[in-house]
Amino acid sequence: AKSGKKRSRSAPAAESTPTKAKETKEKKTPQSAPASDSKRPKKAARTDPVAPHLDAEIVAEAAKLGYEGALKNLAGRAEVAASGKSARALLDALRESKGLVNPAKRALLGL
């Protein structure tokens, strides 16, 4: 039969929590020895991004249009740098793509 008293929800939860789960967690000890080199993930060798030579006048023009970051991003791409396109060509491609870097890259490389 139900009693007229209402129990708070936290009281039964505190009484019914399993203690075995807590005990097993406490028994486990973390490994003190670091993982061997063969088990560690390999880190890719960092290559310093080549600072592309951009004419200050072109950079200023790109800044006026709000494309300075996009111009530097586009100029820093390995494929674009290897193509040898001028900073003016990069800015023109960005203008045509409305500041979007990937479409500008595709237009420059003819992809």
Side-chain angles (χ1 to χ4, degrees), residues 91-105:
L91 182 57
D92 291 342
L94 278 172
R95 272 196 198 134
E96 289 175 22
S97 68
K98 297 182 178 135
L100 299 175
V101 175
N102 285 323
K105 181 181 88 168

Side-chain angles (χ1 to χ4, degrees), residues 54-64 71 87-88 91:
L54 297 173
D55 187 23
E57 184 179 315
I58 305 261
V59 173
E61 189 177 337
K64 276 186 197 176
L71 178 66
R88 171 60 58 196
L91 182 57

Side-chain angles (χ1 to χ4, degrees), residues 17-38:
T17 51
T19 55
K20 280 190 176 183
K22 286 183 183 179
E23 288 174 9
T24 56
K25 286 181 185 177
E26 290 174 15
K27 288 180 184 177
K28 291 182 182 178
T29 57
Q31 287 183 334
S32 58
S36 67
D37 289 338
S38 65

